[in-house]
Every structure is written in C-alpha cells, then in structure tokens.
C-alpha cells in the first residue's frame, strides 16, 4: 500500500475503510444482538433441566458468553452509535436475564414436584440417636459425696497436688523418723526431697486451718498419688475425700453419727457400721469405719470376702499436736477428721471388682453409669 498511494490518498482510504467497517459493524452488531435475543429466549424455553439451563446461562451470559463478547465490542463502534446500540444491548441483556430467571423458577418448581412425588419420606421411622456422654463414674461419686456433706453444712476446700513434705507429713504429726511415712510409698520429685506428689488429701486440713479461724467444716476432694504396683485394688493415682470439723467440745459420738448418716445417704439404705481402733498420726484416738456389706447385707459374699463387713474409711479426733502446729489452741477447740477413697466407695456402690476399669476408660464400661 505504501508504494502505490500518496500519503493524502492513503489517509483518505483509511478514513473510508474505518467508516465502512464501522457502519458494517454497527449493522451487524444490531442484527447479532436481536438474533441472540431470539435464540436465547428459544433455547431457554426448551431447557428441561436446571443443569441444561445453567449451561445455557454460561453460554449467553457467562464472562466468555456471547452477549458479554458483543458488549465488549461496543467500545469499537463509532461514538455517535454507541448510546443507541448500548441501550439496545442493555435492554436485550435484561430481557435475556429475565427469561432465564423465569425458566429457572419454573424448572425448580417442576423438579421439586418430581422429587416430592418420587422420594417418599417416612416420618414414622425412628430418628438416628446421637449418643451423649456423661460424667465419669468417679466424678459422679465425688459429686454425690460432696452433695451429702454440703447438706450437712460442709464447705469444699482444695489444695495442690504437688506438695511439700511439711504439709503431707510434718504438720500432720508425721515427722521424718515416723514409721507411718513408709506406709505411704510416696512419689518424690526431682525438685528436691521436700517436694512430692501428695499421698493424701489430709494436707488440705493444714492449709485450711492455717488460713481460717475455727469453727471449721470442710471437705476436700482430690487426686492423690502413691508409688504402688497396679493390681485389681490398687492404682498409683486415686482419689480421696478428706473431711475436717473443728469446733468446741466435739465428741467421738458426733463423728460416728456424721459418718453413719453419710453412709446411709451414699448407699441409699441404712447399713450397720462399726468403728475399729486403728492408728493415724494426725488423729487420736483413730479408727477405721466398716460397714455391713451392701451386697449381702452381712451374710457374706465374694465382694466382702465372706466377712460380711467392708472397710470404708479412716477417721478420728484431731490430734492436739496438729492443732498446736497451726496455732489453734487445743484447750479451746477440738475436732474430728476423716478420709475416704473415692474409687473404693465407687467400687462398693456399683459392684466394680477391678479399680483399673476407672482408668482404662472403655466406653462399654463407662456407659453403664
Ligand atoms: N489420710 C488417710 C489415708 O490416706 C486417711 C485418713 C484417716 C484421713 C484418718 C483422716 C483421718 O482425716 O482422720 O490413709
């Protein structure tokens, strides 16, 4: 072209081509738009499923769809034609979209109708149950024990599981040389010989008496640790509930009555009990409370080893040495204390024969409670 036309002719030719192209494309565009409109409406009307309609939507209105492509082309046409063609394109787009929505609605309804006809729903079928967990049996028994004592006016007090030998032994009238220390095989920590995992919840007695003035009525549930070999009755971790009452003129009779009432409420029936003399360094006198076996009511069975009696807990009158060590005057105040193993009580209450069941946490076992 460069060789055959002068520059003036060349410019004139280019102007002509542009005008020709423009007028052609405007006409074409208008025609294309109207054809597309008609075709889209016809196609939509023929779509018989939502999926087919969605394909058509993409084909006409999607980002790469034909209407979008035409609309992008609008920027190439002459400015003078743009408003008219633009308006036409918008009207067509609205019409196409309106038709699409209408058909979408119609198909949704007919598809829903078809499903409702096809898919029968039997509302009488039982639902699928969602199994719900519950509190661990040891937690349940602990809560029961707490509730019983709460009803008698006791408050709950808690103490640390990592203790010093002062609270676990010395303050409980069990100095280093005391043979009772050997009875409770203690876990010591590598922090030092004075720091250990508490072997009894009696520690909390001391912590409470140090901080509060009598009269006092507390129970203290919690974990304790003893370095013992595992078997059906022993586990190195177990739970205790400690009880302490400090008041004026407290008697052994009150201790006995309190514990009898507790056992009646825990087992849900009156059971005969007996107090056997025993030894604990922090109580004087000390006793072990036995109850009539709740399974055979005393006639002898496997659970009670055919003795008719079961050991339930340790108890006694608080030793004056213990009161003195925490600054309570034993001439003015006296008290009783008791301590029980939660696993043992749970085993007796539910007839569980192996303590390990509480810790292996087999759902088949746990779901019985
Ligand atoms: N602490 C004792 C133990 O672990 C149980 C006990 C006995 C607690 C007598 C007491 C008590 O408060 O008076 O074996």
């Amino acid at each position: 072209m460069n060789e055959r036309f002068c520059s003036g002719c060349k410019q004139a030719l280019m102007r002509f081509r542009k005008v020709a192209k423009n007028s052609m494309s405007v006409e074409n565009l208008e025609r294309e738009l109207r054809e597309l409109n008609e075709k889209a409406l016809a196609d939509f009307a023929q779509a018989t499923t939502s999926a087919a309609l969605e394909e058509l939507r993409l084909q006409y209105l999607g980002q790469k769809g034909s209407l979008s492509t035409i609309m992008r082309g609008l920027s190439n046409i002459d400015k003078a034609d743009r408003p008219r063609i633009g308006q036409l394109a918008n009207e067509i787009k609205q019409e196409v979209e309106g038709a699409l929505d209408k058909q979408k609605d119609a198909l949704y309804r007919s598809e829903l109708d078809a499903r409702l006809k096809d898919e029968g729903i039997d509302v009488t079928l039982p639902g699928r149950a969602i199994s719900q967990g519950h509190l661990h049996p040891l937690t349940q028994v602990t809560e029961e024990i707490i509730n019983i004592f709460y009803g008698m006016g006791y408050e709950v007090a808690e103490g640390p599981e990592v203790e010093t030998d002062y609270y676990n032994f010395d303050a409980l009238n069990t100095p280093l040389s005391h043979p009772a220390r050997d009875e409770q095989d203690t876990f010591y920590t590598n922090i030092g010989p004075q720091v250990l995992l508490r072997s009894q919840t009696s520690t909390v007695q001391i912590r409470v008496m140090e901080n509060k003035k009598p009269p006092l009525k507390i129970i203290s549930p919690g974990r304790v640790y003893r370095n013992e070999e595992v078997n059906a009755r022993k586990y190195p971790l177990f739970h205790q509930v400690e009880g302490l009452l400090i008041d004026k003129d407290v008697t052994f009779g009150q201790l006995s009555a309190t514990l009898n009432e507790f056992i009646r409420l825990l087992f849900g029936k009156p059971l005969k009990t007996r107090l056997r003399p025993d030894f604990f360094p922090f109580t004087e006198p000390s006793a072990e409370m036995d109850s009539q076996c709740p399974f055979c009511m005393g006639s002898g069975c496997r659970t009670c080893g055919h003795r008719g009696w079961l050991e339930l807990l340790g108890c006694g009158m608080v030793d004056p040495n213990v009161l003195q060590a925490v600054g309570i005057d034993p001439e003015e105040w006296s008290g009783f204390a008791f301590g029980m193993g939660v696993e043992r009580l749970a085993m007796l209450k539910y007839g569980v024969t192996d303590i390990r069941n509480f810790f292996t946490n087999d759902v088949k076992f746990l779901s019985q409670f």
Side-chain angles (χ1 to χ4, degrees), residues 148-149 152 154 245 250-265 271 273 275 289 315 317 336 338:
I148 293 171
F149 283 106
M152 297 189 211
Y154 286 71
L245 179 145
V250 179
T251 67
F252 207 94
Q254 289 165 345
L255 168 63
S256 164
T258 302
L259 294 177
N260 278 329
E261 180 63 358
F262 162 69
I263 288 164
R264 182 182 75 81
L265 291 169
L271 294 170
T273 57
L275 284 158
M289 186 172 246
C315 60
M317 304 306 287
F336 61 70
F338 51 86

Side-chain angles (χ1 to χ4, degrees), residues 192-260:
Q194 307 85 356
V195 185
L196 44 84
L197 298 184
R198 69 177 175 192
S199 61
Q200 51 187 349
T201 42
S202 306
T203 51
V204 185
Q205 283 186 27
I206 306 299
R207 290 184 171 274
V208 169
M209 287 192 285
E210 275 180 348
N211 290 310
K212 284 190 179 167
K213 294 226 158 340
L216 295 167
K217 261 174 122 176
I218 58 116
I219 49 161
S220 181
R223 274 186 284 254
V224 298
Y225 303 85
R226 289 185 197 178
N227 188 5
E228 282 172 332
E229 218 166 285
V230 178
N231 60 35
R233 309 188 58 177
K234 286 188 169 172
Y235 207 79
L237 150 75
F238 60 102
H239 300 75
Q240 285 188 334
V241 176
E242 182 79 11
L244 173 75
L245 179 145
I246 306 285
D247 212 321
K248 297 202 166 155
D249 305 319
V250 179
T251 67
F252 207 94
Q254 289 165 345
L255 168 63
S256 164
T258 302
L259 294 177
N260 278 329

